[in-house]
Amino acid sequence: MAPTIDVPETVEWQGKRVPVWSMQTIDYSLLLSQDPAEVDRVLKACLEDGYFYLDLRSIDGGRMLSDQQETLKLMHRFFEAPIEAKNEFGLISSHLGYEPLGSRTGAFGPGTKDGYEMLKVSRDEIQRGSPKVPAPIKNSGDLKVLENAIGSCNTITKIILSALSTGMNLTGAERFENSHRNDRPSTTTLSMMHYLPSEVTGAKKVGHQKHTDISSLTLLFSEQWGLQIRPPGTCGAREMGFVAPKPGCAFVHVGDSLRFASGMKMQSCIHRVVPFDPTEHRYSIAYFLRAEDDTMFVDSEGRHVTAGQWHDEKFKAFTDPWQWQAMAPKSMILGGMKEAGEDDP
């Protein structure tokens, strides 16, 4: 059965009232201590909803909030540079480099393109000493900012992963963190996104299309409105609604890989980004914790695939023209989550 959810508050958007969905707030300090009640709460949030707020307003989470602010400063410096300077970074791989505006399908489907530009930094690349990071970043204080942000995000997401393993009574090699080891290759990425005002992009380049993430866990920071989610379960009352920015908190949600690894027990969060205020520049920071490349699981099509294979296939689907996306299995873009009727048991 789908979980019972609170009647949401609403907010005005595009001339109508749209839900603002409520969710659990998990205390990071309590998770760090593996508090049994908090472990139960975070597991329940992932099983029933697939998302939650993570409260970082403590001595334990304060470092990440500070790193977030330093990363925002870096983003302003980078994205305000001329396009020629940004293109010097280039798109080195799917999880490293600069991706310009309009590279993917937009928030409102066929005929639209996305309305953001993105800087992506691979955790593996940082760990290897950053040989492919361009000199302007490598030879400035910006590299240290990126190292700090990735280090903080990695610690936080591993703490959550460990709590989920404990909550599901997993032991030994079955624990989720044992397929997310720091010394093994993965596509774990820090992504920094800049959504441009509509007067710059035009009406056909807006937001970020509806999807689930490739990741195991996504740790997301944004101080601005624009993120929408669809709660899992029977549709009807469960329409796309906004996530309210919450001071001192990150928004955390489950991605496809963790849903697969949990035997489809956890919910992969369907979400998109829309222009809430079309006149503003919107900035968000996302850390995508992903399983080791050779981790094997069964996907929503019943195939045995590796985490690396799933990443490559889904990344291609993201960047394909909408006509090709329409012909692909919905499991690619929506991770097998259903939008009508009951979600997979």
Side-chain angles (χ1 to χ4, degrees), residues 33-343:
S33 302
Q34 296 286 289
D35 176 80
E38 206 69 1
V39 167
D40 287 345
R41 291 180 69 236
V42 74
L43 177 61
K44 183 179 180 181
C46 292
L47 293 173
E48 295 187 354
D49 301 322
Y51 50 78
F52 55 90
Y53 289 119
L54 184 68
D55 192 341
L56 295 165
R57 292 170 295 185
S58 67
I59 191 171
D60 302 303
R63 169 62 185 273
M64 182 62 245
L65 296 178
S66 176
D67 289 339
Q68 174 200 1
Q69 294 305 312
E70 291 303 310
T71 304
L72 280 171
K73 293 175 187 176
L74 180 155
M75 291 168 65
H76 281 279
R77 291 193 296 271
F78 181 84
F79 290 124
E80 289 167 9
I83 187 65
E84 296 80 13
K86 290 182 282 193
N87 281 337
E88 285 182 17
F89 199 101
L91 191 59
I92 298 165
S93 73
S94 60
H95 50 290
L96 177 63
Y98 172 67
E99 192 171 299
L101 175 76
S103 299
R104 310 184 186 198
T105 300
F108 303 121
T112 65
K113 289 288 188 179
D114 69 73
Y116 65 90
E117 54 183 346
M118 176 163 52
L119 176 62
K120 298 184 282 188
V121 180
S122 156
R123 185 189 179 279
D124 283 4
E125 188 65 22
I126 292 291
Q127 187 160 279
R128 283 194 293 261
S130 314
K132 294 179 182 176
V133 172
I137 286 182
K138 195 169 182 177
N139 297 333
S140 71
D142 286 347
L143 183 59
K144 179 54 67 176
V145 171
L146 294 171
E147 289 175 347
N148 288 344
I150 288 173
S152 292
C153 289
N154 194 58
T155 299
I156 289 170
T157 50
K158 292 290 181 64
I159 292 295
I160 299 169
L161 210 58
S162 177
L164 294 173
S165 294
T166 298
M168 293 190 75
N169 299 313
L170 302 179
T171 59
E174 296 300 313
R175 291 181 65 86
F176 297 129
E177 60 269 31
N178 285 327
S179 58
H180 296 75
R181 292 167 291 185
N182 290 339
D183 61 339
R184 304 299 176 92
S186 77
T187 55
T188 295
T189 306
L190 179 72
S191 295
M192 295 153 277
M193 288 156 280
H194 171 217
Y195 294 81
L196 283 77
S198 58
E199 64 181 10
V200 177
T201 64
K204 294 294 186 179
K205 292 183 179 178
V206 287
H208 191 172
Q209 77 179 110
K210 180 174 58 181
H211 65 287
T212 57
D213 282 346
I214 300 170
S215 59
S216 297
L217 288 169
T218 300
L219 181 68
L220 182 67
F221 296 90
S222 183
E223 298 171 350
Q224 297 160 280
W225 289 77
L227 177 66
Q228 290 186 331
I229 58 173
R230 184 192 298 281
T234 306
C235 288
R238 294 161 190 253
E239 60 185 295
M240 295 293 286
F242 284 101
V243 174
K246 190 170 183 179
C249 296
F251 176 67
V252 181
H253 57 92
V254 174
D256 299 338
S257 294
L258 188 56
R259 180 172 182 251
F260 299 157
S262 70
M264 307 299 178
K265 293 183 177 69
M266 295 190 191
Q267 309 291 338
S268 192
C269 176
I270 298 175
H271 61 288
R272 69 177 181 180
V273 178
V274 297
F276 184 82
D277 178 355
T279 68
E280 72 177 358
H281 291 262
R282 182 180 184 274
Y283 297 88
S284 64
I285 303 164
Y287 185 73
F288 300 104
L289 177 70
R290 295 176 178 142
E292 298 163 25
D293 289 342
D294 60 0
T295 301
M296 186 71 70
F297 44 60
V298 178
D299 72 4
S300 52
E301 297 287 312
R303 303 178 305 158
H304 288 80
V305 296
T306 65
Q309 178 185 348
W310 180 257
H311 170 274
D312 293 347
E313 290 181 359
K314 186 152 179 169
F315 182 79
K316 181 181 182 299
F318 274 141
T319 53
D320 274 345
W322 67 265
Q323 295 93 334
W324 294 4
Q325 288 184 354
M327 293 185 288
K330 275 201 169 184
S331 62
M332 280 295 116
I333 299 299
L334 296 182
M337 296 290 291
K338 293 183 175 66
E339 292 197 276
E342 296 293 325
D343 287 313

